[in-house]
Every structure is written in structure tokens, then in C-alpha cells.
Amino acid sequence: MLLAAAVAGLPARAAEDAPAAPDDEERVQIADPYIELHTGPGRGYPVHFVAARQEWIAITLRHTDWYKVRTAGGKEGWVHRKQLETTLTEAGGAKTFRDIALDDYLGRRVQLGAAWGQFKSEPMLKFWTSYKLSDTLSVEGTIGQVQGLYSGTDFWHVNVLAEPWSDQRLSPFFGIGLGKFRNFPNQSLVAASVTDAKLANAGLGARYHVSERLVLRVDYTIYTAFVADTRSTEYRAVTAGLSFFF
């Protein structure tokens, strides 16, 4: 601890002089020239106090990436995680939030995302939101649009996803679902009509936790549109996109 404090340019006796904190609070020491305390958990809240280098602060509460802290003098405010990552622990090491970020990812419930790709060789854009029902199962709603050369397509579907290794940073998944399909030809085409059909799909893909609340996703999906009682059309789609979890 003495060596770490000396390397950081802080007095070796600082940890001994730090005020005691309750057992459920963690103390860290400011290593930057200062840390700004906001009145609320967001950059839109004004800074009402500045804590200087070598001061000890206690972390009392967390809200997403913002942490409520209390200085030795009793001043309280909210600090962003990136500023706290430059502080030192009582052992003299740099404070890390890696485990907390991983816990957030493992405990994710709601995700919102968007992806771009190819739907039968035509450009496709889709948006989705999902809710995690259990460690390995989630329900997902998707809306999308395909802009083809001779026609456009709107669709939506609801899927059940299985993610057997959801506790891993790189996690494969597969799903099945039902929805609706609407194809409308370009107005320049003569005698063309709009097609409404029921839609079924099955797909597989993978998620990769990039950082903080950002997840990269790729998937491959087979769509089946039931355009008539005795006729169906099959489409294949490949997409890649990003999602955020809460």
C-alpha cells in the first residue's frame, strides 16, 4: 500500500488518516486534481461541489453509471463512473468497475436494438426490443422494412429466444416466432396488388458484450410468408446491429 501511494504521488499516511465508513460503504481516494459532485445522477444536473486530490470519499448509492458519494466533510453529490475509475482503493490500487459492468450485463432485462442487412439480396432495416424472462429465455418483438427494386415490404413478428450460455460475453442464441408480412409493389407497376400474409420465422445468431451497456449482434433468419392456403414463399435474411440493455 505504501508503494502504491507513493507512485500515485499521495502521502503514505493518507489511508490511515481516512475517516471510517460504515461496513456497507466503500471508500476511495481521489487521485485526479479534483472530482466534480453533481446535484443529481446526470450531466444535466449542475456541479455544486468540487472535491480535491487526496480527499477520501465514500460511495453510498448507485444509479446506472452514476454514483452518489459523500466527502469527509459531509458533502454529498453524484459522480460519473469514469471519474471514479481514476480513484484509489484503501489497498492503494486503482478502483475497477469491471465486475459491476459484468453484473449489469448478466442481470439485463430490457434490450433495444437496430440492425441493417440483406433480405433476399435487398437492403433491410429492423428494430427490436426484448425482455428477459429467465436466465436462458426471452421474448422479443421486431418491426422491419425491406426496400426492394420493384416492391417494398413491411413486417413484424414476436419471437421466443433461447440463449443457453447467456452468462458468457460471446453468447449464441436461436429463436422462433410468428408475425405479419405486407408487400406493396411500386406504383409504376401495372395491375400490381398489395399482399398481406402471415409470417413465421426461425433463426440463430450471436451476441457479444462490447462494453458497458452496448451489445453487438448478428443473426441469420429464415422467413416463411403464407401468401395463400396452398402457397408460401421463403426468404432468408442476414443482419448485424447494436443493442443497449437496461
Side-chain angles (χ1 to χ4, degrees):
M1 180 176 72
L2 298 179
L3 178 60
V7 171
L10 302 174
R13 66 177 184 277
E16 300 175 358
D17 296 339
D23 293 338
D24 60 345
E25 295 180 357
E26 181 181 6
R27 294 183 307 170
V28 293
Q29 190 178 36
I30 301 171
D32 277 350
Y34 62 88
I35 277 183
E36 297 177 337
L37 275 65
H38 294 251
T39 59
R43 299 194 185 278
Y45 292 92
V47 175
H48 74 97
F49 186 78
V50 175
R53 177 183 287 167
Q54 299 185 16
E55 283 194 52
W56 286 88
I57 55 177
I59 301 175
T60 63
L61 190 63
R62 179 183 174 224
H63 179 72
T64 63
D65 288 332
W66 288 83
Y67 293 78
K68 191 175 185 179
V69 303
R70 184 180 62 250
T71 68
K75 295 289 186 179
E76 291 188 328
W78 293 84
V79 179
H80 192 267
R81 175 184 54 78
K82 289 185 177 180
Q83 279 201 299
L84 289 178
E85 284 179 339
T86 65
T87 59
L88 301 176
T89 66
E90 292 184 79
K95 172 63 179 172
T96 176
F97 292 83
R98 186 176 306 164
D99 291 340
I100 294 176
L102 179 60
D103 289 343
D104 284 345
Y105 176 65
L106 297 181
R108 66 194 185 279
R109 287 295 178 188
V110 178
Q111 291 192 67
L112 300 173
W116 177 264
Q118 294 290 315
F119 183 97
K120 195 182 177 182
S121 74
E122 295 177 336
M124 167 185 179
L125 176 66
K126 69 177 183 179
F127 300 90
W128 72 85
T129 181
S130 66
Y131 182 80
K132 194 174 181 183
L133 301 173
S134 66
D135 289 341
T136 58
L137 290 177
S138 60
V139 60
E140 180 175 279
T142 301
I143 59 173
Q145 187 175 72
V146 180
Q147 290 294 337
L149 182 61
Y150 300 107
S151 65
T153 300
D154 291 334
F155 65 88
W156 65 264
H157 53 82
V158 177
N159 284 34
V160 175
L161 301 183
E163 195 173 359
W165 299 281
S166 62
D167 59 340
Q168 302 297 314
R169 190 165 192 176
L170 176 60
S171 176
F173 64 88
F174 59 91
I176 57 175
L178 298 171
K180 293 284 289 185
F181 171 100
R182 180 179 175 85
N183 179 268
F184 44 93
N186 291 343
Q187 295 180 356
S188 59
L189 298 179
V190 179
S193 60
V194 174
T195 301
D196 289 304
K198 294 180 180 180
L199 185 69
N201 75 89
L204 55 86
R207 292 191 179 100
Y208 180 75
H209 182 210
V210 179
S211 64
E212 298 184 1
R213 299 182 179 276
L214 188 64
V215 179
L216 174 66
R217 165 172 163 164
V218 294
D219 55 59
Y220 171 79
T221 308
I222 298 176
Y223 291 97
T224 302
F226 300 96
V227 296
D229 293 339
T230 59
R231 186 167 66 92
S232 64
T233 305
E234 188 175 280
Y235 305 92
R236 299 172 188 269
V238 177
T239 60
L242 293 172
S243 65
F244 299 87
F245 62 87
F246 302 91

